[in-house]
Amino acid sequence: MENHAAIQVQQLVKRYGALTAVDDISFEVKRGEVFGLLGPNGAGKTTTVECIEGLRAPDGGTIHVLGMDARRELKLVKERIGIQLQTTGLYPKLAVREVIDLFASFYARRLPTDAVIEMTGLQERVHAPTKDLSGGQKQRLSVALALVNDPDLIFLDEPTTGLDPQARRNLWDVIRELQARDKTILLTTHYMEEAEQLCDRIAVMDHGKIIALETPDALVRQNFQEQAIEFESLQPPSHETMQNIAGVTRAQIQDTQITVFSTDVPATMAGLLALSQQNILHFDNLVVRRATLEDVFLKLTGRRIRE
Ligand code: ATP
């Protein structure tokens, strides 16, 4: 396998009139990665992805896809990438198998239809007209259509939007299976949990810039030093007692529910246990939780991902 990056973007700029939608961004997606592109509405994600896919011409910068120049070698690039489009509604009367065959006929290199059907778990629906598919099955078909040419790099644009939790998890399994087959995946999503579950690294975009690029874990760790320790106590001690425990930066007491934020969880836990042994504090249902990607997103962009 060649050793160049799956995607290499250098100083990409894209303007719409006076608006700079993508403002001089550079990043790389490694081979085999599931790479997430997140950001609030209008951040420039779609524009960036469409430039990489060759659907839009950048105003500046260079893009390489699988080692090829995304503009000059566009024809070759297209043979090696798969783009999930929301086109399943275009052929309501065609059966699942027929639509997959139709899309596969556009390519020189192609996977057997049965392999595509199996990878996306559509075996039981091969003869169903696409209009009869459930929401989750339609989304899986749209992923299937991105796989017909056995691409090395797959673009998934909000693949699970609107799905119920079970259908979403099924699609996550499909995505994990693709990664296990050495595919590289560029994913946009509005679901923080999805990004946390699937992505090896995440780029957060805002106002046309990349404002953070890290593993989900590192994003959380770098933005939040504290962890939250939550527990219940029928007779909570004073605020001051809680604040004085080692490692605690902040304490919240709401009736019987107590949350302390700690920079040193072991020290704080030792302090809590000591108070318990001295009969000053009794606690129940204790959990230690870290900040979430949702907290990070809010901190970095000042907005929730969906407004
Ligand atoms: P969303 O999450 O809403 O899909 P996004 O991060 O994908 O947003 P883009 O669609 O890339 O953002 O849009 C970036 C900016 O460029 C926005 O301000 C948008 O209004 C503007 N824009 C996008 N496409 C065009 C276009 N064809 N002509 C003019 N402006 C555009």
Side-chain angles (χ1 to χ4, degrees), residues 11-14 20-26 205 207-210:
Q11 301 183 306
L12 177 65
V13 177
K14 177 68 189 176
T20 305
V22 177
D23 192 2
D24 190 10
I25 65 168
S26 302
M205 273 192 92
H207 302 298
K209 298 265 190 204
I210 290 179

Side-chain angles (χ1 to χ4, degrees), residues 93-104 113 126-129:
K93 290 187 182 156
L94 286 191
V96 166
R97 172 182 287 283
E98 291 169 328
V99 179
I100 294 173
D101 279 339
L102 175 67
F103 273 66
T113 300
V126 280
H127 302 300

Side-chain angles (χ1 to χ4, degrees), residues 4-8 10 51-54 58 61-78 81:
H4 41 68
I7 301 172
Q8 190 184 42
Q10 283 170 315
C51 287
I52 298 169
E53 293 167 345
T62 58
I63 301 172
H64 286 86
V65 174
L66 303 165
M68 297 174 275
D69 186 295
R71 300 195 64 196
R72 271 180 275 134
E73 296 170 279
L74 182 56
K75 249 184 103 146
L76 287 173
V77 169
K78 288 219 176 253
I81 65 174

Side-chain angles (χ1 to χ4, degrees), residues 16 19 21-22 39-48 56 158 190:
Y16 300 113
L19 173 78
V22 177
N41 294 333
K45 305 178 298 288
T46 305
T47 303
T48 301
R56 278 186 196 281
E158 299 192 24
H190 278 113

Side-chain angles (χ1 to χ4, degrees), residues 5-10 26-30 33 35 201 213:
I7 301 172
Q8 190 184 42
V9 173
Q10 283 170 315
S26 302
F27 65 98
E28 266 189 28
V29 177
K30 297 176 207 159
E33 250 187 331
F35 189 93
R201 290 190 304 149
L213 200 171

Side-chain angles (χ1 to χ4, degrees), residues 48-248:
T48 301
V49 172
E50 288 181 351
C51 287
I52 298 169
E53 293 167 345
L55 301 176
R56 278 186 196 281
D59 293 305
T62 58
I63 301 172
H64 286 86
V65 174
L66 303 165
M68 297 174 275
D69 186 295
R71 300 195 64 196
R72 271 180 275 134
E73 296 170 279
L74 182 56
K75 249 184 103 146
L76 287 173
V77 169
K78 288 219 176 253
E79 283 287 325
R80 305 279 301 278
I81 65 174
I83 303 175
Q84 181 205 9
L85 302 167
Q86 308 297 340
T87 45
T88 49
L90 285 181
Y91 307 96
K93 290 187 182 156
L94 286 191
V96 166
R97 172 182 287 283
E98 291 169 328
V99 179
I100 294 173
D101 279 339
L102 175 67
F103 273 66
S105 70
F106 303 150
Y107 293 94
R109 160 170 135 162
R110 56 172 295 183
L111 273 183
T113 300
D114 284 334
V116 175
I117 287 168
E118 202 216 301
M119 280 160 82
T120 47
L122 286 167
Q123 294 93 323
E124 278 159 31
R125 303 300 278 159
V126 280
H127 302 300
T130 62
K131 68 176 167 48
D132 292 347
L133 298 180
S134 71
Q137 290 164 347
K138 282 194 174 113
Q139 288 293 71
R140 275 186 277 148
L141 176 59
S142 72
V143 174
L145 299 180
L147 303 180
V148 290
N149 57 329
D150 195 18
D152 297 312
L153 170 62
I154 301 158
F155 296 87
L156 301 178
D157 186 15
E158 299 192 24
T160 66
T161 292
L163 299 187
D164 62 59
Q166 185 56 47
R168 177 167 302 148
R169 283 196 162 68
N170 290 343
L171 202 63
W172 290 357
D173 288 340
V174 172
I175 294 169
R176 292 194 182 104
E177 177 63 28
L178 292 174
Q179 185 177 34
R181 291 174 188 240
D182 293 329
K183 310 291 184 192
T184 305
I185 295 166
L186 180 63
L187 173 84
T188 65
T189 178
H190 278 113
Y191 299 110
M192 292 293 111
E193 194 200 348
E194 178 162 295
E196 212 152 6
Q197 287 282 332
L198 293 177
C199 295
D200 297 302
R201 290 190 304 149
I202 291 172
V204 181
M205 273 192 92
D206 198 15
H207 302 298
K209 298 265 190 204
I210 290 179
I211 57 174
L213 200 171
E214 279 296 351
T215 63
D217 254 8
L219 273 177
V220 174
R221 260 188 287 116
Q222 286 171 9
N223 285 285
F224 289 91
Q225 266 83 47
E226 297 143 289
Q227 301 219 60
I229 302 171
E230 291 179 332
F231 55 89
E232 284 173 62
S233 183
L234 289 177
Q235 285 160 329
S238 73
H239 202 260
E240 198 186 346
T241 308
M242 303 309 301
Q243 293 271 33
N244 287 336
I245 300 172
V248 172

